[in-house]
């Protein structure tokens, strides 16, 4: 069963990657249409806007870019919402569904990553012999049982 599980996980990741790549292609196309330029210029503009570069200051490695961290995700979500609305107005429901899926994935990714990472960390901590962090899982009902002497 581990091979089947790995195969399903790799297939799911490949489907997710191809879906998000095609959504990026759609976003660049819509942006090029609104700006009146080619896809190449629109892609270069988006690439320059979202680019991140390594920078060493005061002996520490940092990553810098044009957009600050709190602005990046809302800007991407607003671009996806614009594209989804554009495709809905053109009655292209498949493209609208893809951009909607990408928008939903982008919004839920931090929650999914935190939940999966916490589960993996707890299971690995059991095998290494370390005590896992004392966190409570909302999905687990904890109870205490005491035996009465009669």
């Amino acid at each position: 069963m581990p091979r089947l599980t790995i195969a399903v996980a790799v297939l799911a990741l490949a489907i997710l990657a191809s879906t998000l790549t095609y959504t990026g292609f759609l976003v660049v196309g819509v942006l090029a249409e609104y700006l009146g330029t080619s896809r190449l210029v629109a892609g270069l503009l988006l690439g320059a806007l979202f680019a991140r570069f390594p920078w060493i200051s005061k002996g520490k490695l940092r990553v810098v870019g044009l957009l600050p961290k709190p602005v990046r995700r809302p800007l991407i979500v607003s671009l996806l919402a614009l594209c989804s609305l554009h495709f809905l107005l053109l009655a292209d429901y498949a493209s609208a569904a893809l951009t909607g899926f990408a928008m939903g994935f982008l919004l839920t990714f931090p929650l999914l990553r935190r939940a999966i990472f916490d589960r993996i960390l707890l299971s690995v901590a059991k095998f290494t012999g370390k005590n896992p962090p004392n966190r409570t899982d909302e999905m687990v009902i904890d109870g205490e049982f005491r035996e009465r002497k009669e």
Side-chain angles (χ1 to χ4, degrees):
M1 291 304 271
R3 288 185 182 177
L4 179 63
T5 305
I6 292 172
V8 168
V10 168
L11 181 66
L13 287 175
I15 291 170
L16 179 66
S18 62
T19 302
L20 294 179
T21 301
Y22 185 65
T23 302
F25 175 75
L26 292 174
V27 168
V28 169
V30 169
L31 188 64
E33 185 178 330
Y34 283 136
L35 294 177
T37 63
S38 67
R39 285 183 187 269
L40 177 70
V41 173
L44 287 174
L45 284 172
L46 280 176
L49 185 65
F50 290 110
R52 309 285 290 160
F53 300 104
W55 187 265
I56 298 175
S57 73
K58 298 179 184 175
K60 292 186 179 181
L61 181 65
R62 296 180 357 171
V63 179
V64 295
L66 288 177
L67 295 175
K69 191 173 184 175
V71 175
R72 279 182 272 158
R73 189 178 305 266
L75 184 62
I76 294 171
V77 169
S78 63
L79 278 173
L80 287 170
L82 171 76
C83 291
S84 185
L85 183 64
H86 173 80
F87 289 126
L88 283 174
L89 290 174
L90 293 177
D92 188 1
Y93 299 116
S95 298
L98 281 173
T99 54
F101 171 77
M103 191 171 24
F105 179 76
L106 182 69
L107 291 173
T108 59
F109 180 71
L111 300 172
L112 289 171
R113 183 180 62 192
R114 190 176 313 121
I116 291 172
F117 182 71
D118 287 347
R119 298 262 181 183
I120 291 173
L121 188 64
L122 285 174
S123 65
V124 169
K126 289 177 187 175
F127 290 116
T128 59
K130 297 179 182 176
N131 290 332
N134 196 5
R135 295 186 207 173
T136 58
D137 190 356
E138 292 85 22
M139 302 298 290
V140 176
I141 299 172
D142 193 16
E144 187 175 320
F145 297 97
R146 294 187 185 175
E147 197 174 314
R148 272 198 257 171
K149 294 181 181 178
E150 291 185 35

PDB file of all heavy atoms in Angstrom, residues 37-70:
ATOM      1  N   THR A  37      -1.010  44.678 -24.424  1.00  0.00           N
ATOM      2  CA  THR A  37       0.345  44.263 -24.774  1.00  0.00           C
ATOM      3  C   THR A  37       0.350  42.782 -25.117  1.00  0.00           C
ATOM      4  O   THR A  37      -0.695  42.125 -25.117  1.00  0.00           O
ATOM      5  CB  THR A  37       1.322  44.512 -23.604  1.00  0.00           C
ATOM      6  OG1 THR A  37       0.919  43.704 -22.501  1.00  0.00           O
ATOM      7  CG2 THR A  37       1.343  45.967 -23.199  1.00  0.00           C
ATOM      8  N   SER A  38       1.527  42.266 -25.367  1.00  0.00           N
ATOM      9  CA  SER A  38       1.646  40.834 -25.641  1.00  0.00           C
ATOM     10  C   SER A  38       1.731  40.061 -24.329  1.00  0.00           C
ATOM     11  O   SER A  38       1.941  40.634 -23.256  1.00  0.00           O
ATOM     12  CB  SER A  38       2.897  40.564 -26.480  1.00  0.00           C
ATOM     13  OG  SER A  38       4.053  40.836 -25.721  1.00  0.00           O
ATOM     14  N   ARG A  39       1.585  38.755 -24.414  1.00  0.00           N
ATOM     15  CA  ARG A  39       1.710  37.899 -23.229  1.00  0.00           C
ATOM     16  C   ARG A  39       3.115  37.977 -22.641  1.00  0.00           C
ATOM     17  O   ARG A  39       3.288  37.898 -21.427  1.00  0.00           O
ATOM     18  CB  ARG A  39       1.393  36.444 -23.581  1.00  0.00           C
ATOM     19  CG  ARG A  39      -0.061  36.165 -23.772  1.00  0.00           C
ATOM     20  CD  ARG A  39      -0.222  34.661 -24.038  1.00  0.00           C
ATOM     21  NE  ARG A  39      -1.575  34.348 -24.381  1.00  0.00           N
ATOM     22  CZ  ARG A  39      -2.507  34.004 -23.483  1.00  0.00           C
ATOM     23  NH1 ARG A  39      -2.202  33.934 -22.223  1.00  0.00           N
ATOM     24  NH2 ARG A  39      -3.724  33.726 -23.870  1.00  0.00           N
ATOM     25  N   LEU A  40       4.108  38.120 -23.509  1.00  0.00           N
ATOM     26  CA  LEU A  40       5.490  38.184 -23.051  1.00  0.00           C
ATOM     27  C   LEU A  40       5.705  39.401 -22.153  1.00  0.00           C
ATOM     28  O   LEU A  40       6.273  39.292 -21.061  1.00  0.00           O
ATOM     29  CB  LEU A  40       6.445  38.238 -24.243  1.00  0.00           C
ATOM     30  CG  LEU A  40       7.925  38.376 -23.894  1.00  0.00           C
ATOM     31  CD1 LEU A  40       8.431  37.098 -23.282  1.00  0.00           C
ATOM     32  CD2 LEU A  40       8.713  38.745 -25.112  1.00  0.00           C
ATOM     33  N   VAL A  41       5.226  40.558 -22.590  1.00  0.00           N
ATOM     34  CA  VAL A  41       5.393  41.781 -21.797  1.00  0.00           C
ATOM     35  C   VAL A  41       4.597  41.685 -20.497  1.00  0.00           C
ATOM     36  O   VAL A  41       5.089  42.068 -19.426  1.00  0.00           O
ATOM     37  CB  VAL A  41       4.978  43.021 -22.623  1.00  0.00           C
ATOM     38  CG1 VAL A  41       4.978  44.273 -21.777  1.00  0.00           C
ATOM     39  CG2 VAL A  41       5.891  43.177 -23.819  1.00  0.00           C
ATOM     40  N   ALA A  42       3.383  41.164 -20.553  1.00  0.00           N
ATOM     41  CA  ALA A  42       2.575  41.020 -19.333  1.00  0.00           C
ATOM     42  C   ALA A  42       3.232  40.045 -18.360  1.00  0.00           C
ATOM     43  O   ALA A  42       3.251  40.285 -17.146  1.00  0.00           O
ATOM     44  CB  ALA A  42       1.173  40.549 -19.684  1.00  0.00           C
ATOM     45  N   GLY A  43       3.781  38.961 -18.873  1.00  0.00           N
ATOM     46  CA  GLY A  43       4.483  38.007 -18.014  1.00  0.00           C
ATOM     47  C   GLY A  43       5.728  38.604 -17.392  1.00  0.00           C
ATOM     48  O   GLY A  43       6.031  38.361 -16.220  1.00  0.00           O
ATOM     49  N   LEU A  44       6.465  39.394 -18.173  1.00  0.00           N
ATOM     50  CA  LEU A  44       7.641  40.060 -17.624  1.00  0.00           C
ATOM     51  C   LEU A  44       7.262  41.082 -16.558  1.00  0.00           C
ATOM     52  O   LEU A  44       7.956  41.227 -15.546  1.00  0.00           O
ATOM     53  CB  LEU A  44       8.439  40.728 -18.739  1.00  0.00           C
ATOM     54  CG  LEU A  44       9.208  39.778 -19.659  1.00  0.00           C
ATOM     55  CD1 LEU A  44       9.838  40.547 -20.809  1.00  0.00           C
ATOM     56  CD2 LEU A  44      10.260  39.011 -18.890  1.00  0.00           C
ATOM     57  N   LEU A  45       6.157  41.795 -16.761  1.00  0.00           N
ATOM     58  CA  LEU A  45       5.693  42.746 -15.746  1.00  0.00           C
ATOM     59  C   LEU A  45       5.315  42.036 -14.446  1.00  0.00           C
ATOM     60  O   LEU A  45       5.677  42.483 -13.356  1.00  0.00           O
ATOM     61  CB  LEU A  45       4.502  43.538 -16.269  1.00  0.00           C
ATOM     62  CG  LEU A  45       4.812  44.638 -17.281  1.00  0.00           C
ATOM     63  CD1 LEU A  45       3.517  45.210 -17.848  1.00  0.00           C
ATOM     64  CD2 LEU A  45       5.643  45.719 -16.639  1.00  0.00           C
ATOM     65  N   LEU A  46       4.581  40.935 -14.563  1.00  0.00           N
ATOM     66  CA  LEU A  46       4.225  40.174 -13.361  1.00  0.00           C
ATOM     67  C   LEU A  46       5.461  39.580 -12.697  1.00  0.00           C
ATOM     68  O   LEU A  46       5.571  39.564 -11.471  1.00  0.00           O
ATOM     69  CB  LEU A  46       3.237  39.062 -13.710  1.00  0.00           C
ATOM     70  CG  LEU A  46       1.787  39.470 -13.873  1.00  0.00           C
ATOM     71  CD1 LEU A  46       0.953  38.273 -14.302  1.00  0.00           C
ATOM     72  CD2 LEU A  46       1.247  40.061 -12.592  1.00  0.00           C
ATOM     73  N   GLY A  47       6.392  39.088 -13.513  1.00  0.00           N
ATOM     74  CA  GLY A  47       7.629  38.524 -12.967  1.00  0.00           C
ATOM     75  C   GLY A  47       8.437  39.566 -12.220  1.00  0.00           C
ATOM     76  O   GLY A  47       8.992  39.296 -11.148  1.00  0.00           O
ATOM     77  N   ALA A  48       8.530  40.774 -12.769  1.00  0.00           N
ATOM     78  CA  ALA A  48       9.265  41.846 -12.093  1.00  0.00           C
ATOM     79  C   ALA A  48       8.549  42.287 -10.825  1.00  0.00           C
ATOM     80  O   ALA A  48       9.192  42.629  -9.823  1.00  0.00           O
ATOM     81  CB  ALA A  48       9.436  43.026 -13.043  1.00  0.00           C
ATOM     82  N   LEU A  49       7.222  42.266 -10.849  1.00  0.00           N
ATOM     83  CA  LEU A  49       6.456  42.698  -9.685  1.00  0.00           C
ATOM     84  C   LEU A  49       6.591  41.725  -8.516  1.00  0.00           C
ATOM     85  O   LEU A  49       6.734  42.127  -7.361  1.00  0.00           O
ATOM     86  CB  LEU A  49       4.981  42.857 -10.072  1.00  0.00           C
ATOM     87  CG  LEU A  49       4.049  43.418  -9.024  1.00  0.00           C
ATOM     88  CD1 LEU A  49       4.431  44.857  -8.693  1.00  0.00           C
ATOM     89  CD2 LEU A  49       2.613  43.350  -9.507  1.00  0.00           C
ATOM     90  N   PHE A  50       6.567  40.426  -8.820  1.00  0.00           N
ATOM     91  CA  PHE A  50       6.596  39.417  -7.762  1.00  0.00           C
ATOM     92  C   PHE A  50       7.978  38.810  -7.524  1.00  0.00           C
ATOM     93  O   PHE A  50       8.111  37.864  -6.747  1.00  0.00           O
ATOM     94  CB  PHE A  50       5.599  38.304  -8.066  1.00  0.00           C
ATOM     95  CG  PHE A  50       4.173  38.732  -7.948  1.00  0.00           C
ATOM     96  CD1 PHE A  50       3.378  38.866  -9.075  1.00  0.00           C
ATOM     97  CD2 PHE A  50       3.632  39.026  -6.716  1.00  0.00           C
ATOM     98  CE1 PHE A  50       2.065  39.277  -8.968  1.00  0.00           C
ATOM     99  CE2 PHE A  50       2.324  39.433  -6.595  1.00  0.00           C
ATOM    100  CZ  PHE A  50       1.542  39.558  -7.732  1.00  0.00           C
ATOM    101  N   ALA A  51       9.020  39.324  -8.178  1.00  0.00           N
ATOM    102  CA  ALA A  51      10.366  38.750  -8.046  1.00  0.00           C
ATOM    103  C   ALA A  51      10.903  38.944  -6.633  1.00  0.00           C
ATOM    104  O   ALA A  51      10.628  39.944  -5.977  1.00  0.00           O
ATOM    105  CB  ALA A  51      11.305  39.402  -9.050  1.00  0.00           C
ATOM    106  N   ARG A  52      11.666  37.968  -6.179  1.00  0.00           N
ATOM    107  CA  ARG A  52      12.313  38.018  -4.866  1.00  0.00           C
ATOM    108  C   ARG A  52      13.787  37.728  -5.084  1.00  0.00           C
ATOM    109  O   ARG A  52      14.148  36.784  -5.780  1.00  0.00           O
ATOM    110  CB  ARG A  52      11.721  36.975  -3.929  1.00  0.00           C
ATOM    111  CG  ARG A  52      10.209  36.990  -3.832  1.00  0.00           C
ATOM    112  CD  ARG A  52       9.659  38.111  -3.028  1.00  0.00           C
ATOM    113  NE  ARG A  52       9.999  37.878  -1.651  1.00  0.00           N
ATOM    114  CZ  ARG A  52      10.012  38.824  -0.736  1.00  0.00           C
ATOM    115  NH1 ARG A  52       9.703  40.045  -1.048  1.00  0.00           N
ATOM    116  NH2 ARG A  52      10.335  38.565   0.499  1.00  0.00           N
ATOM    117  N   PHE A  53      14.661  38.537  -4.488  1.00  0.00           N
ATOM    118  CA  PHE A  53      16.093  38.394  -4.674  1.00  0.00           C
ATOM    119  C   PHE A  53      16.785  38.250  -3.329  1.00  0.00           C
ATOM    120  O   PHE A  53      16.393  38.895  -2.356  1.00  0.00           O
ATOM    121  CB  PHE A  53      16.658  39.632  -5.395  1.00  0.00           C
ATOM    122  CG  PHE A  53      16.055  39.863  -6.744  1.00  0.00           C
ATOM    123  CD1 PHE A  53      15.118  40.860  -6.933  1.00  0.00           C
ATOM    124  CD2 PHE A  53      16.413  39.072  -7.818  1.00  0.00           C
ATOM    125  CE1 PHE A  53      14.558  41.077  -8.168  1.00  0.00           C
ATOM    126  CE2 PHE A  53      15.854  39.284  -9.061  1.00  0.00           C
ATOM    127  CZ  PHE A  53      14.928  40.285  -9.242  1.00  0.00           C
ATOM    128  N   PRO A  54      17.846  37.436  -3.297  1.00  0.00           N
ATOM    129  CA  PRO A  54      18.614  37.349  -2.048  1.00  0.00           C
ATOM    130  C   PRO A  54      19.425  38.630  -1.841  1.00  0.00           C
ATOM    131  O   PRO A  54      19.919  39.229  -2.791  1.00  0.00           O
ATOM    132  CB  PRO A  54      19.525  36.142  -2.272  1.00  0.00           C
ATOM    133  CG  PRO A  54      19.569  35.946  -3.729  1.00  0.00           C
ATOM    134  CD  PRO A  54      18.318  36.514  -4.307  1.00  0.00           C
ATOM    135  N   TRP A  55      19.548  39.042  -0.593  1.00  0.00           N
ATOM    136  CA  TRP A  55      20.267  40.256  -0.257  1.00  0.00           C
ATOM    137  C   TRP A  55      20.972  40.041   1.067  1.00  0.00           C
ATOM    138  O   TRP A  55      20.373  39.544   2.013  1.00  0.00           O
ATOM    139  CB  TRP A  55      19.284  41.424  -0.154  1.00  0.00           C
ATOM    140  CG  TRP A  55      19.924  42.749   0.023  1.00  0.00           C
ATOM    141  CD1 TRP A  55      20.157  43.391   1.208  1.00  0.00           C
ATOM    142  CD2 TRP A  55      20.401  43.595  -0.996  1.00  0.00           C
ATOM    143  NE1 TRP A  55      20.744  44.588   0.979  1.00  0.00           N
ATOM    144  CE2 TRP A  55      20.911  44.743  -0.387  1.00  0.00           C
ATOM    145  CE3 TRP A  55      20.446  43.507  -2.379  1.00  0.00           C
ATOM    146  CZ2 TRP A  55      21.465  45.778  -1.096  1.00  0.00           C
ATOM    147  CZ3 TRP A  55      20.992  44.536  -3.091  1.00  0.00           C
ATOM    148  CH2 TRP A  55      21.500  45.663  -2.457  1.00  0.00           C
ATOM    149  N   ILE A  56      22.230  40.412   1.135  1.00  0.00           N
ATOM    150  CA  ILE A  56      22.984  40.268   2.375  1.00  0.00           C
ATOM    151  C   ILE A  56      23.154  41.646   2.984  1.00  0.00           C
ATOM    152  O   ILE A  56      23.724  42.546   2.362  1.00  0.00           O
ATOM    153  CB  ILE A  56      24.356  39.617   2.121  1.00  0.00           C
ATOM    154  CG1 ILE A  56      24.174  38.216   1.552  1.00  0.00           C
ATOM    155  CG2 ILE A  56      25.169  39.582   3.407  1.00  0.00           C
ATOM    156  CD1 ILE A  56      25.464  37.541   1.157  1.00  0.00           C
ATOM    157  N   SER A  57      22.624  41.810   4.190  1.00  0.00           N
ATOM    158  CA  SER A  57      22.813  43.063   4.909  1.00  0.00           C
ATOM    159  C   SER A  57      23.136  42.751   6.357  1.00  0.00           C
ATOM    160  O   SER A  57      22.491  41.899   6.980  1.00  0.00           O
ATOM    161  CB  SER A  57      21.573  43.947   4.811  1.00  0.00           C
ATOM    162  OG  SER A  57      20.539  43.447   5.598  1.00  0.00           O
ATOM    163  N   LYS A  58      24.144  43.422   6.883  1.00  0.00           N
ATOM    164  CA  LYS A  58      24.607  43.228   8.255  1.00  0.00           C
ATOM    165  C   LYS A  58      24.970  41.770   8.525  1.00  0.00           C
ATOM    166  O   LYS A  58      24.707  41.217   9.587  1.00  0.00           O
ATOM    167  CB  LYS A  58      23.562  43.708   9.256  1.00  0.00           C
ATOM    168  CG  LYS A  58      23.253  45.183   9.142  1.00  0.00           C
ATOM    169  CD  LYS A  58      22.196  45.589  10.139  1.00  0.00           C
ATOM    170  CE  LYS A  58      21.837  47.052   9.930  1.00  0.00           C
ATOM    171  NZ  LYS A  58      20.736  47.475  10.797  1.00  0.00           N
ATOM    172  N   GLY A  59      25.500  41.102   7.520  1.00  0.00           N
ATOM    173  CA  GLY A  59      25.952  39.725   7.666  1.00  0.00           C
ATOM    174  C   GLY A  59      24.858  38.679   7.663  1.00  0.00           C
ATOM    175  O   GLY A  59      25.113  37.514   7.905  1.00  0.00           O
ATOM    176  N   LYS A  60      23.630  39.082   7.376  1.00  0.00           N
ATOM    177  CA  LYS A  60      22.514  38.131   7.353  1.00  0.00           C
ATOM    178  C   LYS A  60      21.913  38.083   5.956  1.00  0.00           C
ATOM    179  O   LYS A  60      21.788  39.101   5.287  1.00  0.00           O
ATOM    180  CB  LYS A  60      21.439  38.535   8.356  1.00  0.00           C
ATOM    181  CG  LYS A  60      21.885  38.413   9.788  1.00  0.00           C
ATOM    182  CD  LYS A  60      20.743  38.686  10.725  1.00  0.00           C
ATOM    183  CE  LYS A  60      21.204  38.528  12.161  1.00  0.00           C
ATOM    184  NZ  LYS A  60      20.117  38.770  13.095  1.00  0.00           N
ATOM    185  N   LEU A  61      21.536  36.895   5.559  1.00  0.00           N
ATOM    186  CA  LEU A  61      20.904  36.700   4.262  1.00  0.00           C
ATOM    187  C   LEU A  61      19.418  37.003   4.379  1.00  0.00           C
ATOM    188  O   LEU A  61      18.734  36.467   5.246  1.00  0.00           O
ATOM    189  CB  LEU A  61      21.106  35.275   3.771  1.00  0.00           C
ATOM    190  CG  LEU A  61      20.518  34.933   2.417  1.00  0.00           C
ATOM    191  CD1 LEU A  61      21.209  35.731   1.316  1.00  0.00           C
ATOM    192  CD2 LEU A  61      20.650  33.457   2.134  1.00  0.00           C
ATOM    193  N   ARG A  62      18.928  37.883   3.518  1.00  0.00           N
ATOM    194  CA  ARG A  62      17.508  38.227   3.479  1.00  0.00           C
ATOM    195  C   ARG A  62      17.009  38.071   2.061  1.00  0.00           C
ATOM    196  O   ARG A  62      17.788  37.993   1.125  1.00  0.00           O
ATOM    197  CB  ARG A  62      17.283  39.680   3.906  1.00  0.00           C
ATOM    198  CG  ARG A  62      17.652  39.986   5.290  1.00  0.00           C
ATOM    199  CD  ARG A  62      17.405  41.416   5.653  1.00  0.00           C
ATOM    200  NE  ARG A  62      16.917  42.205   4.514  1.00  0.00           N
ATOM    201  CZ  ARG A  62      16.464  43.438   4.590  1.00  0.00           C
ATOM    202  NH1 ARG A  62      16.445  44.038   5.730  1.00  0.00           N
ATOM    203  NH2 ARG A  62      16.046  44.080   3.529  1.00  0.00           N
ATOM    204  N   VAL A  63      15.714  38.048   1.915  1.00  0.00           N
ATOM    205  CA  VAL A  63      15.096  38.016   0.602  1.00  0.00           C
ATOM    206  C   VAL A  63      14.278  39.297   0.470  1.00  0.00           C
ATOM    207  O   VAL A  63      13.434  39.598   1.317  1.00  0.00           O
ATOM    208  CB  VAL A  63      14.202  36.773   0.442  1.00  0.00           C
ATOM    209  CG1 VAL A  63      13.549  36.753  -0.916  1.00  0.00           C
ATOM    210  CG2 VAL A  63      15.006  35.512   0.637  1.00  0.00           C
ATOM    211  N   VAL A  64      14.543  40.056  -0.587  1.00  0.00           N
ATOM    212  CA  VAL A  64      13.851  41.323  -0.782  1.00  0.00           C
ATOM    213  C   VAL A  64      13.138  41.313  -2.125  1.00  0.00           C
ATOM    214  O   VAL A  64      13.506  40.596  -3.038  1.00  0.00           O
ATOM    215  CB  VAL A  64      14.821  42.529  -0.713  1.00  0.00           C
ATOM    216  CG1 VAL A  64      15.424  42.660   0.661  1.00  0.00           C
ATOM    217  CG2 VAL A  64      15.906  42.408  -1.760  1.00  0.00           C
ATOM    218  N   GLY A  65      12.119  42.131  -2.231  1.00  0.00           N
ATOM    219  CA  GLY A  65      11.361  42.263  -3.462  1.00  0.00           C
ATOM    220  C   GLY A  65      10.646  43.597  -3.494  1.00  0.00           C
ATOM    221  O   GLY A  65      10.714  44.389  -2.546  1.00  0.00           O
ATOM    222  N   LEU A  66       9.947  43.849  -4.590  1.00  0.00           N
ATOM    223  CA  LEU A  66       9.217  45.109  -4.707  1.00  0.00           C
ATOM    224  C   LEU A  66       8.023  45.173  -3.766  1.00  0.00           C
ATOM    225  O   LEU A  66       7.728  46.213  -3.194  1.00  0.00           O
ATOM    226  CB  LEU A  66       8.727  45.301  -6.145  1.00  0.00           C
ATOM    227  CG  LEU A  66       9.789  45.622  -7.188  1.00  0.00           C
ATOM    228  CD1 LEU A  66       9.154  45.708  -8.560  1.00  0.00           C
ATOM    229  CD2 LEU A  66      10.494  46.904  -6.843  1.00  0.00           C
ATOM    230  N   LEU A  67       7.343  44.051  -3.617  1.00  0.00           N
ATOM    231  CA  LEU A  67       6.139  44.027  -2.784  1.00  0.00           C
ATOM    232  C   LEU A  67       6.460  43.492  -1.392  1.00  0.00           C
ATOM    233  O   LEU A  67       7.132  42.477  -1.258  1.00  0.00           O
ATOM    234  CB  LEU A  67       5.080  43.119  -3.415  1.00  0.00           C
ATOM    235  CG  LEU A  67       4.528  43.557  -4.750  1.00  0.00           C
ATOM    236  CD1 LEU A  67       3.591  42.493  -5.287  1.00  0.00           C
ATOM    237  CD2 LEU A  67       3.816  44.874  -4.619  1.00  0.00           C
ATOM    238  N   PRO A  68       5.955  44.145  -0.360  1.00  0.00           N
ATOM    239  CA  PRO A  68       6.130  43.579   0.984  1.00  0.00           C
ATOM    240  C   PRO A  68       5.266  42.329   1.156  1.00  0.00           C
ATOM    241  O   PRO A  68       4.294  42.114   0.425  1.00  0.00           O
ATOM    242  CB  PRO A  68       5.676  44.704   1.915  1.00  0.00           C
ATOM    243  CG  PRO A  68       4.869  45.615   1.076  1.00  0.00           C
ATOM    244  CD  PRO A  68       5.300  45.437  -0.342  1.00  0.00           C
ATOM    245  N   LYS A  69       5.632  41.515   2.119  1.00  0.00           N
ATOM    246  CA  LYS A  69       4.966  40.225   2.329  1.00  0.00           C
ATOM    247  C   LYS A  69       3.456  40.333   2.546  1.00  0.00           C
ATOM    248  O   LYS A  69       2.701  39.547   1.979  1.00  0.00           O
ATOM    249  CB  LYS A  69       5.629  39.498   3.497  1.00  0.00           C
ATOM    250  CG  LYS A  69       5.205  38.068   3.626  1.00  0.00           C
ATOM    251  CD  LYS A  69       6.021  37.359   4.679  1.00  0.00           C
ATOM    252  CE  LYS A  69       5.639  35.895   4.721  1.00  0.00           C
ATOM    253  NZ  LYS A  69       6.460  35.132   5.633  1.00  0.00           N
ATOM    254  N   PRO A  70       2.945  41.302   3.337  1.00  0.00           N
ATOM    255  CA  PRO A  70       1.489  41.356   3.547  1.00  0.00           C
ATOM    256  C   PRO A  70       0.691  41.751   2.310  1.00  0.00           C
ATOM    257  O   PRO A  70      -0.520  41.567   2.275  1.00  0.00           O
ATOM    258  CB  PRO A  70       1.314  42.413   4.638  1.00  0.00           C
ATOM    259  CG  PRO A  70       2.641  42.646   5.220  1.00  0.00           C
ATOM    260  CD  PRO A  70       3.653  42.233   4.216  1.00  0.00           C
TER     261      PRO A  70
END
